[in-house]
Amino acid sequence: MSKMAPPEEVMNVNYSTPAEPWMDVKPEFKLGNYSYPGKPDVLKYLGLPNPRDWNPEEEDWKLPPDWREIITDGFRELLKKYRSLKVFMDVCVRCGACADKCHFYIGSGDPKNMPVLRAELLRSIYRGEFTVAAKILGKLAGARKLEEDVIKEWFMYFYQCTQCRRCSLYCPYGIDTAEITFLARDLMNRIGVNINWILEPVANCNRTGNHLGIQPHAFKDMMDFLVDDIETITGRRVEPTFHRKGAEILFITPSGDIFAEPGIYTFMGYLLLFDYLDLDVTWSTYASEGGNFGSFTNDKWMKKLNAKMYHEAQRLGVKYIIGGECGHMWRVLNQFMDTMNGPADFLEVPKSPITGTVFNNAKSTKMIHLVEFTADLIKNNKLKLDKSRNAGIVATWHDSCNTSRGMGFFDEPRYVLQNVVEKFVDMPSQTIREQTFCCGGGAGLNNGEFTEMRLRGGLPRGNALNYVQEKFGVNTMSCICAIDRATLPGLADYWAPGVTVTGLHELVGNALVFEGEEERTMNLRQEDLPGIEGSEEEE
Amino acid sequence: MAGLVTALLAVAALAALPALGAGAGMAKVFGTIVPYVAVAIFVAGFIKKVIGWASTPQPFSIATTGGQQYSLPWVKQAKFDNPSTPGQTFIRMALEVLCFRSLFRNTKLDNRPEEGRVAYGSDKSLWLFSLMFHYSFLIVFIRHFRFFLEPVPMVITGVEFVDSILQIGVPTLYLTDVFFVVGVTFLLARRIYDPKVNYISLASDFFPLFLILAIALSGIYMRYFAKVDVIAIKQLVIGLVSFKPVIPPNIDWSFYMHFFLVCVLWAYFPFSKLMHLGGVFLSPTRNLPNNTRMERYINPWNDPSIKPHSYADYEDDFREKMIEAGLPVDKEA
């Protein structure tokens, strides 16, 4: 971080293109632009091939001797399994509409971060290996041979893609770089080219139920700690339960919410809301991770980790599942879960026990988003909310990529937010809703060693935030994604210092007015509420 | 740059071939054999490619959503950017295919470091010119039906009438000829002068543009300058489509050039990016509804043997600690 140039300098991106054709430009690995490789013992635990110690900055990547066959066979297999891949390999016309849509391109100026070129890294091999015409015409038709440098390039650029899908929105053929990145990473995993910050969480999620490897008793300790904090703040003792059979609802949220700031405040918001409603809800330490790091690995691990949710819901005999604030967890839930691990015929179509609203939009998965649930409560006047507890906040809304372009979740969270804060301002229209910009940390890139590249990639989001900060005095950015909550504080510190990052239910938790409650003097962060400063000294 | 030069030379060579050959007694080759072979390659290649895509499973429903989802009754859904029913999805696709909806959204990066801000201005130029290009191409294509339909249907004479409504020159100027050339020239110029687009361009991006431009220019030359014998050409074309090929005399070399370049386009089509014509209909991010929480989507190769690390195994791993922490367990120690 200390080496990172100031924002004014980083903004000055050089967008000119190199003199030599892109096929002749080799990737240059230096600290800050790549993530550390998967550790051998993690690969061994996951049963992934070619566990070894290796370093991307060194010449020899210690690939298996038959790596070429593994890649071409794997590529052939994926082309047979995924129409998306086959169509996306064939139909791109290189119109360039996607070129300046990627936050990593905008922030780095590296032409290989143009989505079209990122996909060409794969397409050039597809043409060279699988199409007759391009095999004959070679480079003229954009084909090239599969060399080790190609794999190095893949590693660089497919781990410089957060699968945010912004490019896909603008593509006239809907080519989805997230899909291409996903499958490229699958291929690389077959020869042991991967990053540890994805694989270790996969291993942890598998064994302990959460990406940090927190064991069940420690998980409960953390929960108790937050319960104590809630008591300190509100005087109420909330009593969450674990693994309670016969509960109506199983609640699952990303485990990032329980262990780190500012996620823990959102977590406290969940607990307060459930207590307020006296909701028949239970938690699980086994299925305590909503986030799915498997989806950054391959379809097998995505399915295997996701399957825990239904497995646990069935074991506990709940009626339906509510999911917390998370980005790619929701992309997986919304687009993959039922397909991979359904049908969820042992569950019931979710129906709010408070308002009676039936959630027909989840009639097959039987899983709803907490924000949908809360928006419905507010609409039906079931929550007493005091916006003044969030006074002083001028909020803006960060649409998380996955819930935006993989779901279309825009109005519900804004409705909730506007009901808990007094002032709300959206960022410029070309940086929000479906056009939203990524935090830079999605798809497994929220690791320490990648910070420099991530902050560069954070330029578009950071700049839009800085704009509303200066123009409208925005001091809080709220969001519904655990990766955002982990990434955006650093991004804000760098690009828009002074802006606080919150989850949505943190602000809900602050605003909730319990019947007969004692007056609150602090918010969930244990900061004095506005107008109450110094009240303790006066006593 | 190498790609551009190669493509230009290739098209020049392809144009020279019939211009020289047809005069040198090879009219039969260019007038009968080549078109039959080209059309056969086009039809077989196109079908093979589309079947290849269509027969590959689409394992997951992965709509890229562009607006508000179907949600609570009081939340207004963006039905055509985020469709939840097949009907809405059909309209989304129609907007995509007929109006280039996604391209309409295009923005342009405008980074102004000296002002400390980065903006994204609307940029509809690519949308406008590609729409102009594609629709002109379609109308020109439809107009050509008069060469091999006898009598010429009203629809086609109608299109021709509107297209030449300005009544400029003799033969009257078709507006689409102008729009067509303007459209393709814009696409070409963009590829040359926009550094980003230039950097990603391959010979196979320049080649079809030069080829199509050459087809347009040779057609314009035939019609407005050489003023070729249309009756003779129609005789040749009707001979071809009725499988009784004839080579009438008095056909200008420029016709053979135009016709041969069209044949090259037919034959090249299925092996090139021009297949976006067929592919756009099969794009899973656009042609699937966002209803995956409502309806179960089936993946034919979904592997039911992939199971989670089970709760029972998890409990075996942590039972002692769980009991100690007061967490309920299924089996006592």
Side-chain angles (χ1 to χ4, degrees):
Chain A
M1 270 301 292
S2 55
K3 278 181 280 174
M4 187 84 185
E8 310 84 77
E9 234 169 89
V10 168
M11 256 207 89
N12 221 330
V13 183
N14 176 11
Y15 294 110
S16 67
T17 47
E20 60 271 61
W22 66 263
M23 282 188 196
D24 301 338
V25 182
K26 286 187 179 152
E28 196 188 321
F29 292 92
K30 45 186 186 199
L31 218 56
N33 74 0
Y34 69 91
S35 306
Y36 296 144
K39 289 177 187 152
D41 54 329
V42 176
L43 267 70
K44 274 182 209 147
Y45 172 78
L46 294 172
L48 288 171
N50 202 18
R52 72 211 182 282
D53 279 310
W54 64 287
N55 178 353
E57 291 189 48
E58 281 167 17
E59 185 60 28
D60 183 10
W61 282 24
K62 302 174 189 169
L63 301 182
D66 55 343
W67 69 268
R68 268 196 189 80
E69 289 84 84
I70 298 173
I71 293 287
T72 45
D73 290 351
F75 209 146
R76 195 172 293 116
E77 181 197 324
L78 293 179
L79 285 165
K80 281 195 188 117
K81 284 169 86 178
Y82 284 87
R83 181 189 302 161
S84 48
L85 180 65
K86 218 166 152 58
V87 171
F88 296 161
M89 289 293 104
D90 282 328
V91 301
C92 176
V93 300
R94 287 170 295 282
C95 71
C98 61
D100 55 359
K101 306 303 179 283
C102 173
H103 52 283
F104 281 124
Y105 173 72
I106 294 171
S108 72
D110 186 340
K112 284 183 193 171
N113 273 322
M114 295 195 268
V116 47
L117 212 41
R118 199 189 305 278
E120 285 290 307
L121 305 180
L122 210 56
R123 262 186 219 116
S124 54
I125 300 305
Y126 165 74
R127 293 193 202 100
E129 299 288 339
F130 303 110
T131 66
V132 183
K135 256 186 193 166
I136 300 163
L137 291 168
K139 267 195 179 178
L140 281 178
R144 60 173 172 169
K145 292 224 171 336
L146 185 55
E147 303 294 354
E148 258 188 86
D149 280 339
V150 172
I151 300 295
K152 291 180 178 176
E153 212 175 33
W154 286 4
F155 179 74
M156 173 75 95
Y157 293 102
F158 291 120
Y159 288 103
Q160 270 183 23
C161 167
T162 50
Q163 307 186 342
C164 80
R165 307 179 106 202
R166 192 168 189 268
C167 49
S168 171
L169 180 77
Y170 296 91
C171 175
Y173 315 111
I175 295 171
D176 182 7
T177 304
E179 188 83 348
I180 290 171
T181 296
F182 175 78
L183 296 171
R185 289 180 178 188
D186 178 335
L187 286 178
M188 285 188 280
N189 264 306
R190 295 168 191 234
I191 54 171
V193 174
N194 37 41
I195 69 173
N196 200 60
W197 209 79
I198 290 173
L199 295 187
E200 201 161 302
V202 172
N204 286 337
C205 289
N206 189 56
R207 195 173 91 88
T208 64
N210 59 74
H211 81 278
L212 294 155
I214 301 164
Q215 298 191 5
H217 58 293
F219 192 95
K220 183 167 181 297
D221 280 351
M222 289 173 152
M223 177 88 96
D224 289 343
F225 178 77
L226 296 179
V227 167
D228 290 344
D229 273 2
I230 287 174
E231 194 171 10
T232 309
I233 296 158
T234 67
R236 296 183 72 84
R237 188 81 193 164
V238 300
E239 282 166 359
T241 61
F242 282 98
H243 305 176
R244 182 161 53 82
K245 289 189 177 171
E248 185 177 0
I249 302 160
L250 170 64
F251 182 71
I252 301 174
T253 196
S255 60
D257 283 349
I258 196 166
F259 113 101
E261 291 181 20
I264 51 170
Y265 308 121
T266 305
F267 197 97
M268 288 153 77
Y270 303 149
L271 290 174
L272 276 171
L273 178 70
F274 298 158
D275 185 60
Y276 180 96
L277 301 169
D278 199 15
L279 205 61
D280 187 7
V281 61
T282 194
W283 299 70
S284 167
T285 58
Y286 163 73
S288 58
E289 180 61 88
N292 189 318
F293 286 79
S295 69
F296 310 143
T297 309
N298 57 34
D299 56 55
K300 181 195 157 194
W301 276 103
M302 170 165 69
K303 177 175 163 138
K304 205 169 154 62
L305 294 186
N306 174 264
K308 281 187 168 186
M309 296 192 185
Y310 279 154
H311 184 64
E312 184 68 342
Q314 190 160 24
R315 184 183 77 89
L316 297 176
V318 299
K319 286 186 184 160
Y320 61 96
I321 313 172
I322 296 183
E325 300 180 13
C326 187
H328 74 274
M329 157 184 176
W330 272 98
R331 168 129 199 256
V332 172
L333 291 174
N334 189 51
Q335 299 194 322
F336 302 93
M337 179 159 82
D338 207 12
T339 305
M340 296 184 298
N341 292 312
D345 43 17
F346 49 89
L347 295 172
E348 293 173 16
V349 178
K351 179 180 170 185
S352 170
I354 316 295
T355 65
T357 301
V358 178
F359 290 88
N360 280 315
N361 59 345
K363 70 172 187 258
S364 188
T365 54
K366 278 95 168 178
M367 179 150 181
I368 55 170
H369 198 296
L370 181 61
V371 172
E372 292 171 329
F373 185 77
T374 304
D376 174 62
L377 291 169
I378 296 174
K379 187 76 185 175
N380 286 289
N381 289 317
K382 299 292 181 191
L383 299 182
K384 191 171 176 211
L385 298 164
D386 179 2
K387 287 184 183 182
S388 74
R389 297 246 190 89
N390 287 318
I393 287 182
V394 182
T396 194
W397 180 250
H398 168 69
D399 293 283
S400 309
C401 305
N402 280 296
T403 50
S404 298
R405 286 175 292 264
M407 218 172 152
F409 207 56
F410 302 117
D411 290 345
E412 304 92 326
R414 278 184 177 72
Y415 179 76
V416 173
L417 183 59
Q418 284 167 334
N419 274 285
V420 293
V421 296
E422 284 165 345
K423 284 187 199 155
F424 167 77
V425 187
D426 251 326
M427 285 177 279
S429 64
Q430 270 141 351
T431 71
I432 56 162
R433 297 180 74 95
E434 64 270 10
Q435 303 192 67
T436 186
F437 274 106
C438 186
C439 65
L445 303 184
N446 192 24
N447 56 63
E449 65 270 21
F450 194 66
T451 302
E452 181 177 339
M453 192 63 197
R454 187 168 56 247
L455 287 178
R456 287 180 192 278
L459 161 65
R461 174 39 78 231
N463 194 262
L465 179 60
N466 182 249
Y467 176 79
V468 289
Q469 180 188 25
E470 284 179 1
K471 190 155 183 189
F472 304 106
V474 164
N475 55 19
T476 302
M477 173 158 57
S478 193
C479 62
I480 43 166
C481 169
I483 298 280
D484 286 338
R485 282 191 286 279
T487 305
L488 291 175
L491 177 143
D493 282 347
Y494 182 75
W495 288 107
V499 176
T500 306
V501 175
T502 75
L504 190 52
H505 276 81
E506 173 185 344
L507 300 176
V508 173
N510 277 337
L512 262 186
V513 182
F514 286 78
E515 206 172 311
E517 67 172 13
E518 54 185 72
E519 197 187 346
R520 278 199 227 175
T521 58
M522 300 181 271
N523 64 18
L524 293 179
R525 299 186 182 215
Q526 304 203 21
E527 297 158 347
D528 289 335
L529 287 178
I532 318 221
E533 283 98 328
S535 53
E536 278 166 31
E537 283 93 301
E538 282 166 22
E539 278 169 15
Chain B
M1 220 36 204
L4 182 144
V5 174
T6 316
L8 185 60
L9 290 177
V11 172
L14 288 167
L17 209 64
L20 303 171
M26 289 174 70
K28 194 160 180 216
V29 176
F30 292 107
T32 60
I33 299 170
V34 169
Y36 279 134
V37 172
V39 172
I41 293 174
F42 173 78
V43 172
F46 197 100
I47 292 173
K48 184 165 179 261
K49 198 95 210 180
V50 172
I51 288 180
W53 291 328
S55 62
T56 307
Q58 176 50 37
F60 301 110
S61 177
I62 53 165
T64 299
T65 58
Q68 175 60 40
Q69 68 170 356
Y70 170 81
S71 174
L72 296 157
W74 46 273
V75 175
K76 191 169 180 289
Q77 180 194 2
K79 290 196 169 86
F80 307 136
D81 275 336
N82 192 344
S84 56
T85 67
Q88 291 162 7
T89 312
F90 180 84
I91 294 174
R92 183 186 203 191
M93 279 305 286
L95 285 170
E96 197 64 75
V97 173
L98 301 174
C99 308
F100 300 5
R101 172 82 181 86
S102 295
L103 213 47
F104 185 75
R105 235 190 270 272
N106 197 23
T107 58
K108 194 175 178 177
L109 171 68
D110 181 12
N111 188 358
R112 300 175 187 170
E114 64 287 349
E115 292 171 37
R117 89 191 175 90
V118 49
Y120 315 91
S122 170
D123 180 11
K124 304 226 183 308
S125 61
L126 181 59
W127 170 78
L128 180 72
F129 285 98
S130 43
L131 206 63
M132 180 192 281
F133 165 69
H134 282 85
Y135 273 101
S136 304
F137 205 155
L138 179 68
I139 292 167
V140 171
F141 179 72
I142 291 169
R143 272 207 271 104
H144 276 67
F145 278 74
R146 74 193 162 105
F147 289 109
F148 47 91
L149 293 175
E150 191 57 59
V152 178
M154 277 288 286
V155 187
I156 292 164
T157 47
V159 168
E160 272 195 78
F161 173 74
V162 176
D163 202 351
S164 54
I165 203 144
L166 289 186
Q167 298 279 327
I168 299 169
V170 181
T172 52
L173 178 74
Y174 287 129
L175 296 175
T176 46
D177 284 358
V178 178
F179 291 142
F180 189 49
V181 173
V182 169
V184 77
T185 307
F186 173 83
L187 296 179
L188 195 53
R190 191 173 164 274
R191 241 176 228 297
I192 296 167
Y193 295 111
D194 184 326
K196 288 193 306 294
V197 185
N198 188 287
Y199 196 63
I200 57 176
S201 293
L202 304 165
S204 53
D205 294 310
F206 288 110
F207 178 74
L209 284 172
F210 282 127
L211 182 64
I212 289 165
L213 187 60
I215 289 171
L217 295 177
S218 59
I220 287 168
Y221 174 81
M222 276 167 68
R223 176 175 164 84
Y224 302 102
F225 300 96
K227 299 186 176 157
V228 294
D229 182 349
V230 177
I231 306 296
I233 289 172
K234 185 157 181 174
Q235 217 182 333
L236 182 144
V237 176
I238 287 185
L240 280 174
V241 295
S242 60
F243 294 99
K244 288 172 203 145
V246 284
I247 301 290
N250 311 326
I251 296 186
D252 191 68
W253 63 271
S254 60
F255 166 74
Y256 288 107
M257 181 159 101
H258 182 68
F259 196 42
F260 178 71
L261 292 173
V262 172
C263 290
V264 172
L265 186 66
W266 284 119
Y268 175 74
F269 203 102
F271 309 101
S272 70
K273 68 173 199 172
L274 302 177
M275 277 308 288
H276 67 271
L277 168 69
V280 64
F281 295 94
L282 284 142
S283 179
T285 57
R286 295 289 188 271
N287 70 9
L288 290 164
N290 176 35
N291 64 353
T292 28
R293 278 199 289 156
M294 282 177 262
E295 309 272 343
R296 184 160 188 248
Y297 184 87
I298 302 296
N299 169 9
W301 51 259
N302 187 38
D303 181 357
S305 74
I306 296 172
K307 300 270 192 230
H309 176 68
S310 73
Y311 174 79
D313 289 346
Y314 171 85
E315 196 183 292
D316 284 348
D317 241 14
F318 300 112
R319 184 168 295 109
E320 301 298 321
K321 290 168 177 167
M322 288 173 75
I323 292 169
E324 213 172 301
L327 290 167
V329 287
D330 276 358
K331 266 193 280 181
E332 290 301 327

